[in-house]
Amino acid sequence: MRLNEWINIKLFQSLSSGLESKNQHSLKNQQSIKLSVITQFFPPDYAATGQLIEELVRHLGYLGIDIEVFTSQPGYAFRTQYAPAVERIGRVRIQRSRTAKLGAGRIRGKAVNGILYTLRAALHLFRARHRNNVLLVTTAPPFLPLVGYLGYLLFKIPYVCILYDLYPDIAIALGVIPKHHWLARLWQALNKKIWRNAKAIVVLSPAMKLQVAANCSQIADKISVIHSWADPDSIVPIAKQENWFAWKYNLVKKFTVLYSGNLGRCHDMDTILEAAKQLQDEPIQFVCIGGGAKRDELIEQVNQLGLSNFMFLPYQDKEVLPYSLTACDLSLVSVDECTENLVTPSKLYSALASGRPIAVICSSYSYLRQLIAEANCGGTFENGDGNGLAQFIRLLSRDRQLGERMGKAGRQYLRSHFTPKIISKQYFDVLARVILSEDVRFMSQNLTE
């Protein structure tokens, strides 16, 4: 018997102990979890959301769940433009649609690409509606949860939403659309309908839970905080002297400060730039790996200032990450103050796994401050405090043992809280509760008939 079938039967047995034997038999024969996942980004796309979903479904497969993933061809950050239209990895079946790449680096182009993918996802859900009994839908693209809502209205498919980012809140905070614009009001109204009908909502931080509950207080009891994660068995500390990536880019003998990931509109790069200006005459190297809306702007500012202590590299293949993430002496994580409660930096968790100290740039009220303090793995700095960040970098460059202690503490904290095994079990529990509640509802209907 498969693991998830056994667990569901045990859950059903405990819940049905007071019912008639016929109903107990009915519960035992209910289907096990058969999961459909809809998300635009999935490897070989480098997008962090896709990398995380790939690891999540793989570990849910280890727990005995059969999974179908509907995604697209690489279209955000990629070297390989095409992947198999259909492939199977263990218990996970992956189906990829065509992808539009209309100005993928611009807001309007991303929006159009996202809309086209959402339409394809809706068609896929219609065709595959009988194959699965629960749907997991992400906010990549931001309006994708609408597919889950429509699937529930038309076919009664229960769905769970993973909220990576909160829209239209982010668009409003960044000044893309006014707060009282008709589009913002429509989007917020749709969000409330989607969230109220979802069987569960997953957010990535306590701050996001507070924000979602403030937007729609009726759903507070169905929101679960499940953090992102990193695999400490895949990303392990490597001494720079033994790291080919560090040798390749001449980082071995320099104190290296690394920013790895998306340089997007929700990330504070100005504070990092200010610290680099103050340290430009010292043997300290800043390395930015990745892409995003602010990358070209930052490169232009660095060139205008004539800074020689900045290096820019593209996104790296997943196989390279264990080396690129450890080719440094300090990792940077930054969140813009205006989007503090609306996004969660997934790069934090891979930085913890790397065994390097972490400097986090965030507001004074950020949940990240408590997390870094509990882990005792680095320092936190308010947005705009480039001087404080520069002083911290100087301290670590002079006291390497302090950095080593912080790095070890951060990695241990990750092992205790944010590994794939720990996090996938939390998702499994959410999905099991959804299936259980659906069977209880079905039984209640039978009893009243």
Side-chain angles (χ1 to χ4, degrees), residues 18-37:
L19 299 176
E20 298 177 0
S21 60
K22 183 179 79 169
N23 292 324
Q24 290 180 346
H25 180 75
S26 174
L27 275 177
K28 290 181 182 179
N29 285 280
Q30 293 298 317
Q31 289 182 332
S32 58
I33 300 173
K34 294 182 179 179
L35 179 64
S36 175
V37 178

Side-chain angles (χ1 to χ4, degrees), residues 94-319:
I94 304 156
Q95 180 175 338
R96 295 181 174 89
S97 73
R98 293 181 295 112
T99 299
K101 300 175 183 178
L102 307 174
R106 300 178 180 274
I107 294 178
R108 185 173 297 177
K110 288 181 179 179
V112 172
N113 295 341
I115 290 171
L116 292 174
Y117 170 75
T118 300
L119 293 174
R120 294 186 182 116
L123 181 60
H124 166 78
L125 183 61
F126 174 78
R127 291 171 174 168
R129 62 190 182 278
H130 299 303
R131 294 207 297 262
N132 303 286
N133 58 7
V134 62
L135 172 65
L136 185 67
V137 61
T138 73
T139 52
F143 27 81
L144 190 57
L146 183 60
V147 172
Y149 176 56
L150 294 175
Y152 179 73
L153 289 182
L154 297 175
F155 313 120
K156 297 303 177 184
I157 303 172
Y159 65 98
V160 177
C161 292
I162 304 179
L163 306 184
Y164 291 131
D165 309 303
L166 299 184
Y167 282 89
D169 307 59
I170 291 175
I172 294 169
L174 295 176
V176 176
I177 57 175
K179 182 177 181 179
H180 300 291
H181 192 275
W182 68 266
L183 179 58
R185 295 200 306 271
L186 174 62
W187 204 331
Q188 288 166 342
L190 285 173
N191 279 344
K192 290 180 180 179
K193 288 186 177 293
I194 291 166
W195 297 344
R196 287 169 184 163
N197 285 277
K199 295 301 178 181
I201 304 290
V202 175
V203 296
L204 308 186
S205 74
M208 291 181 71
K209 178 175 180 177
L210 291 174
Q211 186 67 38
V212 173
N215 290 348
C216 187
S217 59
Q218 301 95 322
I219 66 163
D221 61 340
K222 69 169 72 172
I223 305 173
S224 298
V225 178
I226 304 181
H227 287 259
S228 293
W229 62 89
D231 188 350
D233 295 327
S234 296
I235 301 173
V236 299
I238 301 173
K240 289 171 67 175
Q241 292 81 1
E242 301 170 4
N243 188 327
W244 64 264
F245 192 93
W247 283 105
K248 179 178 180 179
Y249 293 103
N250 193 29
L251 304 175
V252 175
K253 297 181 180 180
K254 298 177 182 178
F255 187 89
T256 304
V257 182
L258 174 66
Y259 183 96
S260 179
N262 184 31
L263 291 81
R265 295 176 178 85
C266 298
H267 302 107
D268 178 358
M269 307 310 298
D270 293 337
T271 304
I272 298 173
L273 182 63
E274 177 58 33
K277 286 166 58 179
Q278 296 191 25
L279 298 169
Q280 60 182 312
D281 296 323
E282 301 180 35
I284 293 170
Q285 179 73 55
F286 287 78
V287 178
C288 288
I289 301 177
K294 287 188 176 181
R295 185 177 190 271
D296 290 343
E297 176 186 342
L298 181 59
I299 292 175
E300 184 178 349
Q301 290 175 314
V302 167
N303 291 335
Q304 288 178 348
L305 293 169
L307 299 180
S308 59
N309 58 347
F310 252 103
M311 179 186 299
F312 293 89
L313 298 173
Y315 282 108
Q316 302 297 306
D317 289 330
K318 188 174 183 179
E319 299 75 32

Side-chain angles (χ1 to χ4, degrees), residues 17-122:
S17 58
L19 299 176
E20 298 177 0
S21 60
K22 183 179 79 169
N23 292 324
Q24 290 180 346
H25 180 75
S26 174
L27 275 177
K28 290 181 182 179
N29 285 280
Q30 293 298 317
Q31 289 182 332
S32 58
I33 300 173
K34 294 182 179 179
L35 179 64
S36 175
V37 178
I38 297 181
T39 183
Q40 184 176 4
F41 304 117
F42 198 84
D45 202 306
Y46 294 138
T49 53
Q51 300 281 354
L52 289 170
I53 281 290
E54 187 272 335
E55 291 183 1
L56 174 62
V57 297
R58 180 156 42 87
H59 281 83
L60 287 175
Y62 297 156
L63 294 175
I65 298 179
D66 292 319
I67 303 165
E68 286 191 356
V69 176
F70 181 77
T71 185
S72 67
Q73 292 289 337
Y76 175 75
F78 54 91
R79 289 184 183 174
T80 303
Q81 294 196 22
Y82 297 100
V86 178
E87 66 176 319
R88 178 174 287 277
I89 303 174
R91 289 184 176 271
V92 183
R93 179 183 183 273
I94 304 156
Q95 180 175 338
R96 295 181 174 89
S97 73
R98 293 181 295 112
T99 299
K101 300 175 183 178
L102 307 174
R106 300 178 180 274
I107 294 178
R108 185 173 297 177
K110 288 181 179 179
V112 172
N113 295 341
I115 290 171
L116 292 174
Y117 170 75
T118 300
L119 293 174
R120 294 186 182 116

Side-chain angles (χ1 to χ4, degrees), residues 263-384:
L263 291 81
R265 295 176 178 85
C266 298
H267 302 107
D268 178 358
M269 307 310 298
D270 293 337
T271 304
I272 298 173
L273 182 63
E274 177 58 33
K277 286 166 58 179
Q278 296 191 25
L279 298 169
Q280 60 182 312
D281 296 323
E282 301 180 35
I284 293 170
Q285 179 73 55
F286 287 78
V287 178
C288 288
I289 301 177
K294 287 188 176 181
R295 185 177 190 271
D296 290 343
E297 176 186 342
L298 181 59
I299 292 175
E300 184 178 349
Q301 290 175 314
V302 167
N303 291 335
Q304 288 178 348
L305 293 169
L307 299 180
S308 59
N309 58 347
F310 252 103
M311 179 186 299
F312 293 89
L313 298 173
Y315 282 108
Q316 302 297 306
D317 289 330
K318 188 174 183 179
E319 299 75 32
V320 177
L321 287 179
Y323 304 95
S324 64
L325 291 172
T326 55
C328 69
D329 302 284
L330 173 67
S331 291
L332 295 177
V333 175
S334 73
V335 181
D336 194 274
E337 186 173 13
C338 71
T339 57
E340 180 66 49
N341 296 335
L342 311 177
V343 299
T344 301
S346 60
K347 61 176 67 67
L348 169 67
Y349 304 90
S350 57
L352 287 169
S354 72
R356 301 295 189 261
I358 302 172
V360 177
I361 303 163
C362 59
S363 70
S364 59
Y365 52 84
S366 172
Y367 78 97
L368 292 168
R369 290 181 175 269
Q370 181 180 353
L371 192 154
I372 296 299
E374 287 180 356
N376 194 27
C377 63
T380 54
F381 306 89
E382 290 195 32
N383 300 100

